Amino acid sequence: MNKGLQRIYMLPYALWIVLFVVAPIALVLYYSFFDITGHFTLSNYKSFFSSTYLTLTISSFWYALLITFFALLVSYPTAYLLTKTKHKQLWLLLIIIPSWINLLLKTYAFIGLMGLYGPLNAFLEAIGIGKQQILFTDFSFVFVSVYIFIPFMILPIFNALDKLNPALIDSSRDLGASSWTTFRRVIWPLTLNGVKSGVQVVFIPALSLFMITRLIAGNKVITLGTAIEQQFLVTQNWGMGSTIAVFLILFMFIVMVITGGSDKGASVNEKNK
Amino acid sequence: MKRINNLQKLYLIAVFIILYAPIFYLIFYSFNSGGGMSHFESFTWEHYAAVFEDKRLIIIVLNTVIIALLSALLSTAIGVLGAMAIHFMRNKGMRNAVLSLNTILIVSPDVIIGASFLILFTMIGVKLGFASVLISHIAFSIPIVVIMVLPKLQEMSSSLIDAALDLGASRRDVVTRVILPFIQPGIFAGFFLALTYSLDDFAVTFFVTGNGFSTLSVEIYSMARAGITLTINALSGLIFVITVILVLGYYAISNRTKMPLTGVKK
């Protein structure tokens, strides 16, 4: 359409891009070169590559991987079965509703559920295992995180499975493929994009969780997110915090490239429909 | 299509139970007259009464709602303009660049958004509090609105605009009488998503809120860190009811607006 009109539209949105997308990233990068006293330095980067931060990064990745893996393990069958139910949109809505309840409340619920006198321990005692310290362990951290992320993982996978042409599955079966082969060679490749976007919406936030680590893991687990929060709000060392943030942004881009790089597959899917 | 068997049904039911158990657990103990979340003594409304008597808490709830409504409104306005700007962009490379910039804030971890906004606000001298929280919420909601509105714009055939122009409509008329009515469902969806993002946000707010100002999420966090108080349970009961009403309202609206998709209303 005409250009004059376009310019007026552009203004607030362009301003937003400059102020809240470009400037914050630039500022984080800028701050990462300053130490706590405000002197220009590369020491933040040096200390990031020290053993403390490297272990932290690796353990953070490990937890994020675990969380993503278990979320996928639970979500894929759930999404698959959901597409087979009668009122699938209604069931999907019921899956989504818990994700609309404030995150903090759900986390808080687990403090009670997993507490020493909570129902989970009462159950363990009843079946003869006896009371266990569940809260403030890595198990509780992974469990609660998986719980939080399941709906976000189910949604893209459900959409991918829902778009899948059932005739493809029928023809695969007619041609003599077993259910496992059908799944491995037909269903899984065609829904891989849904899985990828699910992994993307789980893995990146899982790297940067800090509220759940504080409330559920009791500082036993430290993620990149916890470290950033610590540096910014507790020790007030914005330079170090920014350095960790720079690396987190870097990891984010890498994950995005890995999980987002196959738009071709998606367009093939569209054509198949 | 094959129906699901009993074992598979059991699996689905188990997932549903796990998803809902913590929420109902919270609500169940909100009626407990005992102090904690382990022994149910007897039924009481006292924790609900405590919520309504706590003036500070009510102010925080009001703050949260005001921030959510204002940020959703403003981000919807800016987001719709942005979506139109992207849609009518001729240069494809430029368009893709803007689209990628748009997605950055959607995929960025909250911690990064919070930390970088904190730097930004201290640099340009915005006082931490209501203003900084509102601005951040608007900022992280805009890209979601754009994402919701853009597909609707792409659905719209450009001949509609040409026809309106040929029939003598001014550019303003084209926007207000042709484009906006057509993309209305997308605008609603964007508004609702922005609303829920704002209501649900914890991490960003946690970074940019000063000492004097607090939203519900931040308040629950500090209460939960101090230990179990059944006031939080009562609050979550109320929030659950409101959320369900909102979800149902959203679906009612989105179902109603689905019907007149084929033509321009009015």
Side-chain angles (χ1 to χ4, degrees), chain A residues 87-272:
Chain A
H87 305 283
K88 52 184 173 190
Q89 291 302 335
L90 180 74
W91 289 114
L92 185 69
L93 176 63
L94 284 175
I95 290 267
I96 310 268
I97 286 180
S99 76
W100 288 36
I101 306 290
N102 196 304
L103 183 72
L104 268 298
L105 290 178
K106 287 179 289 191
T107 314
Y108 167 75
F110 279 100
I111 298 179
L113 273 170
M114 292 176 158
L116 220 45
Y117 301 99
L120 220 64
N121 260 322
F123 172 75
L124 286 181
E125 208 159 21
I127 60 171
I129 295 176
K131 272 200 173 68
Q132 298 280 329
Q133 174 72 35
I134 311 173
L135 209 58
F136 310 131
T137 59
D138 2 5
F139 165 77
S140 60
F141 170 67
V142 173
F143 186 90
V144 175
S145 310
V146 169
Y147 169 84
I148 299 280
F149 287 126
I150 281 177
F152 300 102
M153 185 67 108
I154 289 179
L155 198 59
I157 299 177
F158 176 88
N159 286 334
L161 280 164
D162 206 30
K163 263 194 223 150
L164 190 75
N165 189 342
L168 289 174
I169 298 165
D170 292 339
S171 53
S172 155
R173 297 307 301 270
D174 288 347
L175 292 168
S178 67
S179 339
W180 171 242
T181 317
T182 307
F183 172 74
R184 204 168 52 93
R185 305 292 289 271
V186 180
I187 303 177
W188 177 260
L190 284 176
T191 52
L192 198 59
N193 276 311
V195 174
K196 277 182 175 174
S197 34
V199 167
Q200 191 180 328
V201 293
V202 172
F203 191 81
I204 299 169
L207 268 182
S208 57
L209 287 170
F210 77 90
M211 178 269 300
I212 298 177
T213 56
R214 290 248 193 271
L215 289 180
I216 297 291
N219 294 340
K220 277 250 174 61
V221 178
I222 297 179
T223 62
L224 289 171
T226 326
I228 294 174
E229 189 252 357
Q230 179 92 15
Q231 295 292 353
F232 266 91
L233 299 178
V234 184
T235 40
Q236 301 276 339
N237 185 353
W238 288 15
M240 194 59 226
S242 299
T243 310
I244 308 169
V246 167
F247 281 98
L248 190 50
I249 293 172
L250 216 65
F251 297 143
M252 178 185 97
F253 278 118
I254 295 170
V255 172
M256 271 172 73
V257 168
I258 295 173
T259 55
S262 59
D263 277 343
K264 271 180 228 145
S267 55
V268 170
N269 269 357
E270 292 301 314
K271 266 179 223 149
N272 280 348

Side-chain angles (χ1 to χ4, degrees), chain A residues 1-2 4-6 8-10 12-13 16-17 19-25 27-28 30-31 73-86 88-89 91-106 108-114 117-119 143 147 150-152 154 166 173 179 200 204-205 208-211 214-215 219 224-226 228-229 232-233 238 242 244-246 248-249 252-253 256, chain B residues 1-4 8-9 11-12 15-16 18-23 25-26 37-38 78-79 81-86 88-90 94 98 101-105 107-112 115-124 135-136 138-140 142-143 146 161 165 171-172 174-175 179 193 196 199-200 202-203 206-207 216-218 220-221 224-225 227-230 232-233 235-236 239-240 243-244 246-248 250-251:
Chain A
M1 220 169 44
N2 35 76
L5 209 58
Q6 190 180 313
I8 306 167
Y9 291 151
M10 267 315 247
Y13 183 69
W16 168 78
I17 287 187
L19 259 180
F20 294 103
V21 182
V22 180
I25 293 179
L27 279 174
V28 165
Y30 174 76
Y31 263 81
L73 200 67
V74 176
S75 303
Y76 200 99
T78 311
Y80 180 74
L81 295 176
L82 276 179
T83 56
K84 303 228 155 189
T85 52
K86 232 186 222 161
K88 52 184 173 190
Q89 291 302 335
W91 289 114
L92 185 69
L93 176 63
L94 284 175
I95 290 267
I96 310 268
I97 286 180
S99 76
W100 288 36
I101 306 290
N102 196 304
L103 183 72
L104 268 298
L105 290 178
K106 287 179 289 191
Y108 167 75
F110 279 100
I111 298 179
L113 273 170
M114 292 176 158
Y117 301 99
F143 186 90
Y147 169 84
I150 281 177
F152 300 102
I154 289 179
R173 297 307 301 270
S179 339
Q200 191 180 328
I204 299 169
S208 57
L209 287 170
F210 77 90
M211 178 269 300
R214 290 248 193 271
L215 289 180
N219 294 340
L224 289 171
T226 326
I228 294 174
E229 189 252 357
F232 266 91
L233 299 178
W238 288 15
S242 299
I244 308 169
V246 167
L248 190 50
I249 293 172
M252 178 185 97
F253 278 118
M256 271 172 73
Chain B
M1 205 191 286
K2 258 197 316 189
R3 299 242 43 118
I4 56 177
Q8 291 168 325
K9 230 177 243 167
Y11 179 81
L12 265 189
V15 171
F16 272 102
I18 291 174
L19 277 180
Y20 279 91
I23 297 161
Y25 172 75
L26 274 189
M37 283 203 276
S38 48
I78 300 173
L81 290 179
M84 282 199 248
I86 293 176
F88 292 120
M89 231 173 241
R90 278 278 166 79
M94 173 92 170
V98 173
L101 283 175
N102 190 64
T103 40
I104 285 183
L105 275 197
V107 288
S108 284
D110 294 349
V111 184
I112 302 274
S116 61
F117 282 11
L118 176 64
I119 298 180
L120 182 76
F121 289 137
T122 28
M123 279 275 268
I124 56 178
I135 295 171
S136 328
I138 294 171
F140 70 64
I142 287 174
V146 172
I161 296 168
L165 286 172
R171 282 159 196 180
R172 239 189 97 193
V174 172
V175 173
I179 300 178
L193 266 185
T196 51
L199 286 174
D200 216 36
F202 163 71
F206 189 67
F207 271 88
L216 208 49
S217 301
V218 176
I220 295 170
Y221 178 71
R225 284 204 87 173
I228 288 171
T229 19
L230 292 186
I232 306 182
N233 292 52
L235 204 57
S236 59
I239 290 176
F240 181 72
T243 308
V244 171
L246 269 180
V247 173
L248 292 178
Y250 171 74
Y251 269 80

